[in-house]
Every structure is written in structure tokens, then in C-alpha cells.
Amino acid sequence: MSIVGSVGISRVGKLVVTQACAFIVSSGYIDLYDVGTPSAPAFITAVSDSAMSPSGASAAGDVLLVSDGGGGSGKLRCYRILK
């Protein structure tokens, strides 16, 4: 096994991969990366949601699902994946 590409990241969190996208879901942020070309992954954008405190993340088709335990009550946040 060998590394074929890499990109620096600004936040560490839960990793979700779907299609040619990788998401890093952390407290208050979702960072989107294009991993369609593994030798040249690239940062696309970040979404800020200060109320989000993720406890889990997954993807279903073109929807990113984030379970959120922030504020003492649970929520399921759904984000449409637009690349």
C-alpha cells in the first residue's frame, strides 16, 4: 500500500466519504473535499453551523446526515450534497 495523494486539513473530525467527495464533520463545521482524483485531492468549501455538535455522521446518496447532541437534545441534520 502506498500514499497516492494528500491535502492539508484545517480541522479534524468525523470522516464521511461518498461519490467523489470527502467530508470532515467537526463541532460547528463541515469541510468538503474533492477526492475524485486521488493523486490531487482538493478543498472545496466549508459550511459553518455554530449550533452543531456532531456525535455521528454518514451519507445516503446525495445527502449528508449528521446526528447532533448539542444543547442536551438530539437532532438529525440533513445536508444536500452540492458539489
Side-chain angles (χ1 to χ4, degrees), residues 2 34 45-46 53 61 72 79:
S2 64
D34 181 347
T45 191
S53 178
Y79 299 88

Side-chain angles (χ1 to χ4, degrees), residues 4 26 61:
V4 296
S26 59

Side-chain angles (χ1 to χ4, degrees), residues 52-71:
M52 184 175 62
S53 178
S55 57
S58 187
D62 65 348
V63 176
L64 176 66
L65 305 163
V66 178
S67 60
D68 182 357

Side-chain angles (χ1 to χ4, degrees), residues 13-81:
K14 299 178 184 329
L15 176 65
V16 176
V17 179
T18 182
Q19 300 162 352
C21 298
F23 300 89
I24 297 177
V25 181
S26 59
S27 185
Y29 293 94
I30 299 171
D31 295 331
L32 172 60
Y33 292 84
D34 181 347
V35 293
T37 305
S39 61
F43 173 76
I44 296 174
T45 191
V47 175
S48 176
D49 185 345
S50 61
M52 184 175 62
S53 178
S55 57
S58 187
D62 65 348
V63 176
L64 176 66
L65 305 163
V66 178
S67 60
D68 182 357
S73 62
K75 290 183 181 175
L76 178 63
R77 297 175 188 266
C78 301
Y79 299 88
R80 177 83 51 204
I81 299 168

